[in-house]
Amino acid sequence: MANVSQLQAVSGGLCPRCRQGKIFKYPIYNLRRFDDMYEHCPHCGLRYEIEPGYFWGAMFVSYALSAGVALVLGFLVFYGLNDPGGWTYVLIICPALVLITPINFRISRIVWLHYVSGIRYDPGKTSEF
């Protein structure tokens, strides 16, 4: 397989080490199983959860993404609806944050694996099983 850039691997939800194996088992539109991850990369065998509780750190990424979305929506509501009452903000921003939960969940874990874990790209890595 041709070399995949890190940005392509992040956007495709691929392993940070081999950039070929998928991180998540099911497509994002499967709302009952959107959070199911492979324990190991199906291609190179990398264990995704490096240590127990490893993905707790991804909550910080998730929080930043949610805050950014809420901030942008708040500005759009403020300027688009001419500063309506407080409940209008709540009724627009809260459902939007709930709707992006599957996307936010996946992006935060993928970003955490690719940019914080210290796992380096190794195209020659084969299965560890």
Side-chain angles (χ1 to χ4, degrees):
M1 182 175 222
N3 284 341
V4 176
S5 72
Q6 187 170 23
L7 186 58
Q8 289 172 319
V10 169
S11 64
L14 302 176
C15 173
R17 184 167 66 185
C18 69
R19 296 184 185 168
Q20 292 186 31
K22 292 272 187 193
I23 294 173
F24 291 94
K25 293 180 180 180
Y26 301 98
I28 198 163
Y29 53 81
N30 185 340
L31 296 179
R32 293 179 187 250
R33 315 271 320 253
F34 74 89
D35 60 338
D36 285 355
M37 292 178 63
Y38 288 104
E39 188 174 336
H40 298 272
C41 172
H43 184 263
C44 71
L46 172 72
R47 181 175 166 81
Y48 290 130
E49 189 169 9
I50 296 168
E51 58 189 30
Y54 176 71
F55 287 110
W56 279 64
M59 289 188 310
F60 295 107
V61 176
S62 175
Y63 176 74
L65 290 171
S66 294
V69 168
L71 189 63
V72 168
L73 285 175
F75 278 118
L76 290 174
V77 169
F78 180 82
Y79 289 112
L81 300 178
N82 199 21
D83 192 19
W87 280 107
T88 304
Y89 290 95
V90 171
L91 292 173
I92 291 174
I93 294 173
C94 289
L97 292 177
V98 170
L99 287 174
I100 67 161
T101 296
I103 298 166
N104 191 348
F105 178 87
R106 285 189 175 210
I107 289 173
S108 62
R109 286 193 174 211
I110 292 168
V111 165
W112 191 254
L113 272 173
H114 276 269
Y115 297 109
V116 181
S117 68
I119 300 169
R120 299 289 173 236
Y121 175 53
D122 184 0
K125 199 65 175 174
T126 57
S127 181
E128 294 178 349
F129 296 118

